[in-house]
Amino acid sequence: MSAVPLRFQPGDSLTIRDGTGGTVLWLVVERKRGGYLLKPQDGCDPRTWSDDELDDAYGTRRLILYPCNLAGLPKSLTEVLDKTWEYWPEEIRQEAQRRLVYVTMAETLRSSHSTWLDAFKAAAEAVYSAYRDRWTAEDRELMAKRAGEARGRRRKSTWGSVELDASSPVRKPHPLTLRRWYQRWNQNGRDIRMLISQQHRRGKRRPGIPHVPGAADHYVLMKEAVEKHYLSMPRKRKTYAYRKYEDACRAVQLHPASYRTFRLFIERSYTDYEEYQRRYGRRAAYKKFGIFERTELPQRPLEEVELDHCLIDLIVTHPITGRPLGRPWLTALLDRVTRVILGVHLSFEVPSYASLQRALAHAFWKKDLSGIEGLEHDWPCHGIPEWIFTDNGRELRSDSLRLSEAMLDFGVVNLPVKSPWLKGAVERLFGSIGVQVFSHQEGTVLSRTKDFYNPVERARRSLFEISRILLKWIVDDYHITEHPALGVAPLEKWLQLTTLYPVRPVPSFDQIIRMTGELITRSIQNVGVHYEGLLYADKKVLEDLRARRGRLDKKWTLRIDPYDFGEIAILDDETGQWHVLPCTDQDISRHVSKYQHRVHKLMAKRNLAAGMPITVEHLRKAKAMAEESVRIRFEHETRTKTAARAARYDSNGETFTPLAGGSLTANHKPFSLATAVLPSPVSASVQTEMPAAPVPVPLPSLPTPPSPSSIHSDLEDEVERISELWFKNMR
């Protein structure tokens, strides 16, 4: 397997674990031919590590990257790096994210200014003007949230929080302050934790007396009338807003200004773009005032990556019964400059945060194809991109994804809606996959003669078979075939450019695991931690956390795997480390996804009288009922929409291919559509060589239930419909 050179900067620190289990801290000195010169921090002689040695240590999870010199950091910054990002209070993290906006803007504006100080001045002004109102509203919302929590606890806020004054506006930083932020951030690996405020090291200070604004004047009344009655939708005329302004003046006994003065106030206070955007929408303003130009391809690999979801053009069948299940979803990441496919995810899970993070993990980490037979080439494409261009899906604008951006230092560009040409490379890739892979298989929906070809009846391939066919096409066809836009094969282009521009690796495999988790907050009760009706407990861990002073009513930070409720992780706010808490009822939680658990809860609730609590025994019976209903759908369902719901219920969250060094899930699910292989009724003319697998025992025959109505993409609606249908059919 060929090693992809990893990119390290001089001054970075690497911890490498040797064969005996000992860990040595190394300092990156410089890049050598075919490797790096590393100096150990214990005073021994430096040595050169080859790219193969570093790649082997990275793939076997023996190497952890710290993009700074740990030995030369001040004590205050070392204490910050010892803690995880989630350790810090929300107010401090919010301030660090705002500082990150300032320093990145200053770096962007540096080329257009003669000195760094001028760039800092321009960045401070630009960011302050763009984000002042938004950040002020966030401060007010956070202030109201903290006030509600304090009223609920009947006491003051906990140590470490930043007291906010909702009446005071956001302050613009001084250029010299901005220079200090930038130097500390740039010299220490551009870690967002370097921008964390040091206010937690100070004593508490009471806020000053809040400023009381003066009485309303003409400009205040005009601004209120314009904002409320002219620049809001549905659109109204200026004369209507002027009449509302006159009414407001009479209410406070002021003589109103003339209509001409009112119009001049609008023209001088708002640009044409702002006025048009507020009245007609952002997209309409973008089309009317935007400047459109061609963009050139980037120069470095992973500089720009496109991401998108696609419902594949093929009906997939069940591996045991051969019944059609519907069309799975495909998520793909494509590098713009080399056109290699960095990672994919194929499952019946609709586009969500869980499927997105599985695809990102597959793209960011090394892939292990050693256990897959029938492949002639490797897939050496991985690394952290600089920018990801994608659409405006809910999961692509989530706070969890924003946290992943800050932790791994990459950016997500949410393109305007209904503009697929802005990420045309991945759209073209989906078209090529549909034509070159799926159109040759039985069950394709690309046929133009629907009256003579029924894709549901002709479907023959299972999800596992389609995954292996797609994998072989990627590594043995697409990557090694000359691309029309490049003139060379994508894999050849990738190997050429990564030699000149090494890829940026993920610091450790734990970062990949944490990126797939969903963050929540819960308190520790005297029996453990409750979440979604399940109990998680580890006596030794929870007793230590709960016994600390002031921790009885604390909301602890938890991380859950949306594909496995068998365990959760809790963050120790003093050590900054995660502890694993197993569920006390493994038979109803292990390998149970969030979607499955909500189905179980709703089915159990429908079987109880109003007001009765749901017990573990009820969930156990509901789980058995749901699994039996899934078997019914896989045996007898004729409508693909209903069968697709059942297939989504059966998803296990595994990545498209194994990852080097480990798996995202704690244990593999005993049976799932993603891993089961059976000889489905495929004709000899369309069969290809597939890895051999044992044949499971067929399921027993059960009555055919009625079909439900159309599918809904919203999770709550989906759970409501599938649980109601299954419950009625199993009674």
Side-chain angles (χ1 to χ4, degrees):
M1 181 181 298
S2 58
V4 177
L6 305 179
R7 185 178 69 183
F8 304 118
Q9 300 292 340
D12 290 352
S13 297
L14 304 177
T15 59
I16 303 178
R17 189 175 68 253
D18 55 21
T20 61
T23 301
V24 180
L25 180 63
W26 298 81
L27 179 67
V28 178
V29 179
E30 61 179 344
R31 171 75 175 171
K32 293 289 187 179
R33 176 177 295 182
Y36 287 89
L37 179 62
L38 305 183
K39 179 181 179 181
Q41 297 290 355
D42 56 3
C44 297
D45 296 334
R47 57 160 292 198
T48 300
W49 287 67
S50 65
D51 289 334
D52 292 336
E53 291 177 319
L54 293 174
D55 184 79
D56 179 69
Y58 177 65
T60 55
R61 300 169 57 180
R62 295 185 294 109
L63 183 149
I64 299 179
L65 166 66
Y66 296 92
C68 59
N69 186 357
L70 293 180
L73 282 181
K75 181 180 178 181
S76 59
L77 298 183
T78 304
E79 292 178 354
V80 171
L81 288 179
D82 287 340
K83 311 295 183 183
T84 61
W85 172 255
E86 296 84 4
Y87 162 80
W88 301 101
E90 183 178 358
E91 294 87 343
I92 295 180
R93 287 181 287 162
Q94 185 181 75
E95 177 63 22
Q97 291 172 343
R98 294 177 181 179
R99 293 181 179 184
L100 182 62
V101 177
Y102 277 108
V103 297
T104 53
M105 178 60 72
E107 189 173 53
T108 303
L109 298 178
R110 175 64 182 91
S111 59
S112 58
H113 293 80
S114 58
T115 64
W116 270 107
L117 187 59
D118 293 338
F120 291 138
K121 292 180 180 179
E125 185 64 34
V127 174
Y128 179 74
S129 301
Y131 291 89
R132 176 183 54 188
D133 296 338
R134 172 181 168 184
W135 288 348
T136 301
E138 290 178 355
D139 288 346
R140 292 174 179 171
E141 181 181 353
L142 187 58
M143 185 68 180
K145 177 182 177 182
R146 291 291 179 261
E149 294 176 353
R151 287 194 299 269
R153 296 191 302 265
R154 299 291 183 183
R155 57 184 177 87
K156 296 182 179 180
S157 58
T158 56
W159 172 88
S161 62
V162 178
E163 296 184 0
L164 301 173
D165 185 1
S167 61
S168 62
V170 176
R171 296 182 180 180
K172 180 174 63 176
H174 193 274
L176 296 181
T177 302
L178 187 53
R179 182 181 66 178
R180 186 175 68 254
W181 294 348
Y182 179 82
Q183 290 176 348
R184 186 170 60 188
W185 171 74
N186 189 53
Q187 293 173 1
N188 296 283
R190 302 195 169 197
D191 194 323
I192 189 175
R193 291 175 293 180
M194 292 293 100
L195 299 176
I196 288 179
S197 172
Q198 297 294 319
Q199 293 186 14
H200 62 279
R201 301 173 61 87
R202 307 173 184 173
K204 278 199 171 183
R205 299 179 181 179
R206 294 182 177 273
I209 300 176
H211 172 68
V212 180
D217 57 6
H218 287 283
Y219 291 102
V220 174
L221 296 178
M222 281 192 288
K223 183 176 180 61
E224 292 178 353
V226 170
E227 292 284 342
K228 185 176 181 181
H229 302 289
Y230 179 66
L231 296 181
S232 61
M233 301 182 71
R235 298 186 298 274
K236 305 178 183 63
R237 295 179 177 272
K238 293 180 182 177
T239 54
Y240 178 81
Y242 179 71
R243 289 197 298 268
K244 293 297 182 181
Y245 158 70
E246 290 180 323
D247 296 340
C249 289
R250 297 190 188 98
V252 295
Q253 298 181 354
L254 284 178
H255 182 71
S258 65
Y259 178 64
R260 180 177 180 275
T261 303
F262 185 78
R263 288 189 294 106
L264 288 176
F265 172 78
I266 297 177
E267 294 175 1
R268 294 172 180 175
S269 301
Y270 305 93
T271 64
D272 290 343
Y273 178 83
E274 293 173 341
E275 180 179 349
Y276 199 89
Q277 178 184 7
R278 297 281 294 276
R279 288 174 57 80
Y280 294 91
R282 181 180 300 178
R283 179 173 175 80
Y286 173 75
K287 288 185 174 182
K288 186 176 181 65
F289 296 93
I291 303 298
F292 303 93
E293 59 183 358
R294 283 187 173 183
T295 59
E296 298 181 356
L297 288 176
Q299 298 179 353
R300 303 183 302 275
L302 299 182
E303 184 177 353
E304 296 180 2
V305 172
E306 297 182 7
L307 183 149
D308 202 3
H309 308 283
C310 173
L311 194 63
I312 72 171
D313 301 319
L314 188 72
I315 303 296
V316 174
T317 61
H318 189 270
I320 296 179
T321 64
R323 295 279 180 175
L325 300 178
R327 300 162 61 185
W329 284 92
L330 174 65
T331 305
L333 289 92
L334 182 76
D335 182 47
R336 278 182 171 177
V337 65
T338 63
R339 299 301 173 93
V340 298
I341 302 175
L342 295 174
V344 297
H345 183 68
L346 181 65
S347 70
F348 281 95
E349 179 70 34
V350 298
S352 62
Y353 178 75
S355 60
L356 169 67
Q357 295 299 63
R358 285 312 196 253
L360 292 178
H362 189 249
F364 289 177
W365 195 258
K366 292 185 60 178
K367 303 158 188 61
D368 183 11
L369 308 184
S370 58
I372 303 177
E373 299 179 359
L375 301 180
E376 301 177 3
H377 298 83
D378 195 12
W379 195 348
C381 307
H382 65 89
I384 304 177
E386 298 180 24
W387 295 98
I388 296 180
F389 293 82
T390 184
D391 53 25
N392 278 272
R394 182 183 302 178
E395 71 281 1
L396 300 165
R397 294 179 287 105
S398 62
D399 294 336
S400 298
L401 182 59
R402 293 295 175 261
L403 175 59
S404 299
E405 294 180 54
M407 290 173 57
L408 300 179
D409 191 21
F410 68 92
V412 174
V413 179
N414 297 113
L415 301 173
V417 297
K418 299 180 181 179
S419 304
W421 58 88
L422 298 179
K423 47 180 176 60
V426 69
E427 298 285 352
R428 183 63 177 266
L429 173 67
F430 287 148
S432 300
I433 293 176
V435 173
Q436 299 182 25
V437 181
F438 300 140
S439 65
H440 301 289
Q441 305 296 327
E442 289 283 11
T444 178
V445 298
L446 294 177
S447 174
R448 298 295 183 264
T449 57
K450 297 295 181 63
D451 295 337
F452 304 97
Y453 184 90
N454 189 336
V456 177
E457 294 180 355
R458 301 291 292 272
R460 296 293 185 271
R461 294 293 188 183
S462 67
L463 183 64
F464 179 83
E465 293 175 328
I466 291 300
S467 299
R468 288 296 179 259
I469 293 175
L470 179 60
L471 173 61
K472 185 171 180 58
W473 177 82
I474 292 174
V475 300
D476 290 341
D477 188 357
Y478 173 76
H479 276 174
I480 64 172
T481 303
E482 179 179 334
H483 196 283
L486 302 177
V488 295
L491 184 59
E492 181 180 352
K493 187 73 172 180
W494 169 267
L495 297 176
Q496 291 175 358
L497 293 183
T498 53
T499 303
L500 301 175
Y501 307 100
V503 301
R504 186 161 58 95
V506 180
S508 66
F509 190 77
D510 291 338
Q511 293 273 15
I512 294 293
I513 298 177
R514 289 176 57 196
M515 194 174 60
T516 61
E518 180 180 350
L519 296 178
I520 59 173
T521 57
R522 289 293 187 277
S523 59
I524 301 177
Q525 305 298 324
N526 56 357
V527 293
V529 177
H530 291 277
Y531 177 69
E532 292 287 345
L534 299 175
L535 179 63
Y536 297 86
D538 186 318
K539 184 177 181 180
K540 182 179 179 181
V541 173
L542 296 184
E543 280 186 349
D544 176 66
L545 299 179
R546 185 175 167 85
R548 298 172 185 174
R549 184 172 297 276
R551 295 300 193 265
L552 290 179
D553 299 328
K554 174 182 173 54
K555 295 292 185 180
W556 297 84
T557 301
L558 305 172
R559 188 186 74 238
I560 64 171
D561 185 352
Y563 285 104
D564 191 351
F565 272 24
E567 62 186 26
I568 62 175
I570 186 170
L571 176 65
D572 189 336
D573 58 353
E574 290 188 0
T575 64
Q577 303 300 322
W578 292 94
H579 300 285
V580 176
L581 303 178
C583 182
T584 57
D585 300 286
Q586 290 289 308
D587 57 334
I588 61 173
S589 61
R590 178 60 66 184
H591 306 301
V592 174
S593 66
K594 184 176 183 179
Y595 177 73
Q596 292 172 335
H597 184 67
R598 291 192 176 184
V599 171
H600 300 164
K601 287 181 62 178
L602 197 52
M603 294 182 71
K605 183 178 179 180
R606 293 181 182 279
N607 203 22
L608 298 175
M612 290 188 61
I614 301 176
T615 64
V616 174
E617 186 60 30
H618 295 149
L619 291 176
R620 189 174 290 112
K621 293 180 179 179
K623 180 185 177 184
M625 184 186 302
E627 291 176 348
E628 185 177 0
S629 186
V630 168
R631 295 190 184 98
I632 294 176
R633 265 70 191 169
F634 289 162
E635 270 264 321
H636 300 284
E637 186 57 58
T638 57
R639 296 193 58 180
T640 57
K641 292 181 179 180
T642 307
R645 286 193 178 103
R648 181 186 180 186
Y649 176 89
D650 197 60
S651 299
N652 69 344
E654 281 295 321
T655 52
F656 184 71
T657 64
L659 300 180
S663 174
L664 296 182
T665 54
N667 296 294
H668 293 282
K669 194 175 182 180
F671 168 76
S672 175
L673 293 177
T675 56
V677 184
L678 285 174
S680 55
V682 184
S683 61
S685 60
V686 298
Q687 287 189 0
T688 59
E689 290 189 10
M690 306 300 298
V695 180
V697 179
L699 298 175
S701 299
L702 293 172
T704 303
S707 301
S709 56
S710 61
I711 190 170
H712 283 225
S713 59
D714 185 77
L715 178 61
E716 300 299 334
D717 292 345
E718 178 81 0
V719 171
E720 178 75 23
R721 287 180 172 273
I722 195 171
S723 61
E724 180 179 1
L725 174 70
W726 291 359
F727 175 75
K728 289 182 178 179
N729 292 330
M730 297 306 299
R731 293 196 66 174

